[in-house]
Amino acid sequence: MKILVNILLASSAFLMILSGCNTSQQLHPVKGEFIEGQLGDDAQTLNWIIATDEISKRYASFMVDPLAVFDNNFSLQLRCLAKDIDVSPDGLVYTVTIRDDLRWTDGSTVTADDYVYTLTNIMFADWLECTDSAKWQENVNDMQVFVKPEVVNETTFKIVRQTVAPEFIYTIYALMPYPKLIAQHYENRKDSFIQSPEFDNMTYTGNLGAYKPVAWNAIDGFVVKRNPDYYLGKNSGAPYFDTYVIKLYGLQQMINDGLRDGKINYAFVEPQEANMFRGMKDVNVYTIPTGFCVYVAYNQRDNGWEGLKNAKVRQALSMIMDKAEIVSNMYSGYADPAFSFIPPYSPSYSEGVLNKFGMSPLQDQQKAINMIKEAGYEQKEIDGQMKFVDKDGKPIKLNFIVDIRSDFEQNLAIMIRQNLLRIGLDINPKFSTREILFADGLMNKVPGSEQNPAFNNGPGAVSKEPWDLVILSSHTNALTLEGSETFFTSKGKFNLFGFFNDKVDALYQRVKSVEAVNPENRKQIYAEISKVISDEQPVNFLVFYKDNYAFRGVKGVEPGINVLSNFQSWYFE
């Protein structure tokens, strides 16, 4: 924690000019202190380009806007952009035009050169470690190289690639600048850059953000005050809070108490508390999709049950895992059944190509049994129940590895076991810590090779311990889906379950082609990928879970996946 230094002010003459030219219409009154309650870790730094956590980047977003954001309907909302990014027909050149009314704190103009300098001399610098730098690299002749930013004029720059990456545009939309005039004094001086008061306290941000920093410490929390010069406020008078405060709490109950007593205006609430807050006057609770998918992976490698290499068997297992029961019992109804790696609210979601396995498990029970029989597995009566047996006539038990520290996983595994028992299959729970689970159960190598264990060492690689089922989760951005290849392509880094499919590999190559620069073409390709994965069922997508957020006494909130996209427009009546 730290106290922020006083904010640098522009010259009084510059302020007088701004004041004299201000013709804004005040849509809502400016008043009050907005308090957000937050459970979890604090930010690391406001020097956002070196941050490795999302909280730091969120804090920074109060003071500097990105080029653009997306609203809850995934419509592009320009921020520092003057117009949408122009993409060349071959998908290799991105031309970016920024607004001409952006100013640094000293009154100087924010230019295209500031953005290019931020990329070439900071983000791409070898003297500084930037977590997001990999997003600005491309593979050329088996080498990772950076894209090439170039200044065109004062408000325009372009980014040139050597390879096509249609979803790269979303990386550009998120770009924020540093002032070249300040940053160049810290170039090649890592420690000085990291500790620079201008960047560590964000005193340079001028009119680029809705708020200005005031304090950041254990007692006060993260405190920012209204920026009256905010470039987007000229026509609306936004933002509308005198101050915005984020306070950290050690317990969710403390946040609940604060919401109930009117001391907190916005916070996450647990599912079991959501309905209670919905019944309170002046409180609105919004259920927000998260993009987090929980799924069961089927081990198709050589140390898994051989039946799992058969897509029909995998389909049969997915048929009888009751998703409605999981949504109701495990998530109190705050989840959507999942049938794809693509969230159902994504513009690229194509419901018609998907199998809805797990939605009618009782009706599909006999069908699932027949499918396993057709795959060559027999049943016999054992202890009064029909059970599938191995070649020695012994009941088949699937090795289900479960995190011993997770009550959630254990309860979900019990529920899945009950589902499997209906068709004559049982599980052998293998409890371990998450660390051991990953090291011994999921990381693999080809036996006898000198490979280092990894999540995907290719065909023939197996883990140290045999397994059949495991509960996993991952986050999917509803717009940028190309990263899913890391799970489902033959060389995918996290293809730990051994799914190797030439058609899927070829489709993911098409996603990175000129054909996919057109959004409609890209959606069609993802529909084809979704269909193949739905038919093959390398994993059984269970749910996309949701979070609940409570707002007390606040207007202007637009609930949805990108609920924070218009935070500068929230107001008190």
Side-chain angles (χ1 to χ4, degrees), residues 193 332 534:
F193 180 88
S332 301
S534 180

Side-chain angles (χ1 to χ4, degrees), residues 406-431:
S406 172
D407 291 339
F408 171 85
E409 284 196 19
Q410 293 179 49
N411 291 333
L412 182 53
I414 290 171
M415 190 175 297
I416 291 173
R417 177 178 183 259
Q418 293 170 343
N419 295 160
L420 292 173
L421 285 172
R422 295 172 185 164
I423 61 171
L425 289 173
D426 201 353
I427 69 166
N428 173 35
K430 302 184 73 173
F431 297 104

Side-chain angles (χ1 to χ4, degrees), residues 145-172:
V145 300
F146 286 106
V147 299
K148 294 183 178 180
E150 302 173 11
V151 174
V152 176
N153 56 44
E154 190 171 73
T155 58
T156 307
F157 63 98
K158 62 181 180 180
I159 297 174
V160 181
R161 297 182 58 95
Q162 298 179 65
T163 61
V164 180
E167 294 179 5
F168 176 64
I169 193 169
Y170 299 114
T171 296
I172 303 177

Side-chain angles (χ1 to χ4, degrees), residues 117-249:
Y117 184 89
T118 298
L119 290 172
T120 57
N121 293 66
I122 305 177
M123 182 72 75
F124 303 170
D126 57 9
W127 54 270
L128 193 67
E129 293 85 28
C130 300
T131 304
D132 288 341
S133 64
K135 297 178 181 179
W136 298 89
Q137 294 178 329
E138 56 184 329
N139 188 295
V140 179
N141 298 323
D142 293 327
M143 293 182 61
Q144 292 297 114
V145 300
F146 286 106
V147 299
K148 294 183 178 180
E150 302 173 11
V151 174
V152 176
N153 56 44
E154 190 171 73
T155 58
T156 307
F157 63 98
K158 62 181 180 180
I159 297 174
V160 181
R161 297 182 58 95
Q162 298 179 65
T163 61
V164 180
E167 294 179 5
F168 176 64
I169 193 169
Y170 299 114
T171 296
I172 303 177
Y173 285 139
L175 180 62
M176 300 188 300
Y178 276 73
K180 178 180 178 180
L181 284 176
I182 297 176
Q184 61 188 358
H185 297 299
Y186 297 105
E187 193 169 340
N188 293 309
R189 297 163 58 202
K190 177 179 177 180
D191 291 343
S192 296
F193 180 88
I194 292 174
Q195 298 168 14
S196 64
E198 301 97 331
F199 299 150
D200 200 35
N201 300 308
M202 295 194 80
T203 59
Y204 60 90
T205 57
N207 70 349
L208 288 177
Y211 291 90
K212 293 281 191 177
V214 175
W216 178 21
N217 58 70
I219 297 175
D220 300 317
F222 173 68
V223 183
V224 291
K225 69 177 181 180
R226 179 177 181 269
N227 184 357
D229 302 321
Y230 182 42
Y231 72 98
L232 281 186
K234 289 188 296 184
N235 297 320
S236 64
Y240 304 115
F241 303 133
D242 289 319
T243 56
Y244 192 120
V245 180
I246 298 178
K247 287 190 174 182
L248 292 178
Y249 293 85

